[in-house]
Amino acid sequence: MDRDSIEMDKERLTAEMAFKDSSSAVIRIRQRLPDFLQSVKLKYVKLGYGYSCNRATILMFALILPLFIATLVQFTSLKLDRVSELWTNQALRLESIDAATRLAGSLILFFLFGLYYAKRSRPVYLVDFACYKPEDDCKMSVDSFLEMTEDSGAFTEDTLQFQRRISTRSGLGDETYFPRGITSRPPNLCMEEARSEAEAVMFGALDSLFEKTGVKPKDIGILIVNCSLFNPTPSLSAMIVNHYKLRTDIKSYNLGGMGCSAGLISIELAKNLLQANPNTYAIVVSTENITLNWYFGNDRSMLLCNCIFRMGGAAVLLSNKARDKARSKYQLVHLVRTHKGADDKHYNCVYQREDDKGTIGVSLARELMAVAGDALKTNITTLGPLVLPFTEQFMFFVTLVRKKIFKAKVKPYIPDFKLAFEHFCIHAGGRAVLDELQKNLQLTDWHMEPSRMTLHRFGNTSSSSLWYELAYTEAKGRVASGDRVWQIAFGSGFKCNSAVWRALRSSPMCEKRGNPWKDEIDKYPVKVPLA
């Protein structure tokens, strides 16, 4: 079947014409991810520079430091024309400053040092992480999934054909995992099975993490769990506290309804808590539960989730202890969050609701690609000043000023983010989004390999997919000391979040404990069939 593609840049649409025979044709119109680097708002560039140079820093250098120097000169009765002599004449220095002045100066310096030490930002180290890999009996091929879907009797022939088309184009392979409640014949979608899925994923990842790091559960001071659609009582975090008998003063949090970007929101929450609680370990558990959120209806916008979401989860150990730096894998450098929920189109883009038959599901709107592109544009524009080399920032800023202020018709300068990062972990939300992101950021197939292979091997595991991607990069032995890793995720709300990590040591290929790619990394990358 011949296929012609016409791209309409102004409307961000793609028209695909498929010729069935000589007398008929089918035309499909779909939205592409906007070329978000072609239109940038100055307020987000300003926000990025604000992160790197805050008001406290400006106040320190513009006011406090000159006042301190002036006060010191006044206390010592030092004349400005004799400053140069102080550096060359030791005797003059001792004569010019009496004992009382030296004591006062020492106290002032000691106070300022103590103030800095108390208020400084403590480094946050990623000691290690582990991803859950289900048992082989949970595997299901695409054909088996389609057969299960057809045998359920819940779908019309039209929606069955829709799921076949989506599944063959999704980029998912034949070894993704489903929970037992869904694969049972008939499906057993109940609270007990949902709890069983949550326990298997969370406890499996945590057991592996504790084994890898040697940290005992009683040493954990902060626990954060994020799961968007399954929020039982007691909470998932309470489930972990009970299972591992964590201490009574643990700071426990359970984040729900925050979508696929919630993993990095949890990392930021852990970072802020670690700033306020010295000498502490924090654990972040990211997962999604699909047992009670499987959709048995015929609304196409809700069926997309059935075709791409799969079982998975990850556990991450963070620390602010100075002695942990030597054994930690990464240090958190930047975390930038973008929330576009004030706009109704963004807010309603991913929405849990009932269909016309009263069946609950998560609806993905047609505007998803445009909404994701807008959120990504804002997030990347804010992140750019923090990470890009000076030359890239200068060229980008000059071009932006000419275009926005002087209204010059110049070609936008697209910064090369490959100069800022060695590794990219882009949320494996779907094949189309990965294709458009690769095009917009001008990334190579090598850079996109972790995301594409994660989507192929494990499917969309929601907020934990970033850690499967980083585990892939480590299993390939690609991470060297000093490398920078960019994790970027997006989800309902609509939110887009970025985290930047710096590798503190190399990750050798032989280090495979708790890595879901162990024993099979040599098979990858595989060639994913074209849609």
Side-chain angles (χ1 to χ4, degrees), residues 66-280:
L67 282 176
F68 173 72
I69 295 174
T71 303
L72 189 63
V73 169
Q74 183 67 30
F75 270 123
T76 58
S77 301
L78 181 64
K79 295 181 179 179
L80 294 178
D81 58 357
R82 302 186 66 189
V83 170
S84 60
E85 297 182 49
L86 286 175
W87 297 106
T88 57
N89 192 327
Q90 178 71 25
L92 181 61
R93 270 185 286 183
L94 294 175
E95 292 173 0
S96 301
I97 306 176
D98 58 24
T101 304
R102 289 199 296 269
L103 178 60
S106 299
L107 289 175
I108 292 173
L109 290 174
F110 183 78
F111 172 77
L112 292 175
F113 176 77
L115 186 64
Y116 164 77
Y117 187 81
K119 297 295 184 180
R120 82 192 193 286
S121 178
R122 294 182 177 87
V124 174
Y125 303 114
L126 193 162
V127 180
D128 214 328
F129 67 96
C131 300
Y132 176 64
K133 186 176 183 180
E135 300 295 331
D136 287 345
D137 59 1
C138 294
K139 282 184 182 179
M140 181 171 284
S141 66
V142 174
D143 290 338
S144 297
F145 160 72
L146 294 173
E147 181 183 349
M148 177 189 71
T149 301
E150 186 173 358
D151 291 345
S152 70
F155 307 101
T156 65
E157 182 57 38
D158 184 52
T159 53
L160 285 173
Q161 185 61 33
F162 173 76
Q163 291 181 80
R164 292 189 192 101
R165 185 166 64 250
I166 294 297
S167 297
T168 55
R169 298 176 179 180
S170 64
L172 274 68
D174 290 327
E175 295 185 302
T176 58
Y177 299 97
F178 284 87
R180 184 180 57 191
I182 292 177
T183 57
S184 300
R185 302 294 179 90
N188 184 21
L189 309 185
C190 62
M191 179 65 76
E192 182 181 358
E193 288 296 337
R195 285 184 180 274
S196 178
E197 178 192 352
E199 290 173 355
V201 173
M202 295 192 304
F203 300 163
L206 285 168
D207 287 346
S208 180
L209 182 66
F210 288 136
E211 181 185 357
K212 289 175 71 175
T213 60
V215 173
K216 299 178 181 179
K218 65 180 179 62
D219 296 330
I220 305 303
I222 299 168
L223 172 65
I224 303 170
V225 179
N226 68 269
C227 181
S228 190
L229 294 173
F230 181 57
N231 295 284
T233 300
S235 66
L236 297 178
S237 58
M239 193 184 298
I240 294 174
V241 171
N242 176 261
H243 181 78
Y244 291 100
K245 310 305 178 188
L246 302 183
R247 64 199 205 196
T248 57
D249 64 341
I250 189 164
K251 294 172 175 59
S252 174
Y253 300 85
N254 201 99
L255 304 184
M258 305 197 77
C260 299
S261 66
L264 296 186
I265 296 175
S266 298
I267 294 293
E268 189 197 40
L269 176 58
K271 168 196 161 187
N272 293 336
L273 289 169
L274 286 171
Q275 295 299 325
N277 297 272
N279 202 37
T280 305

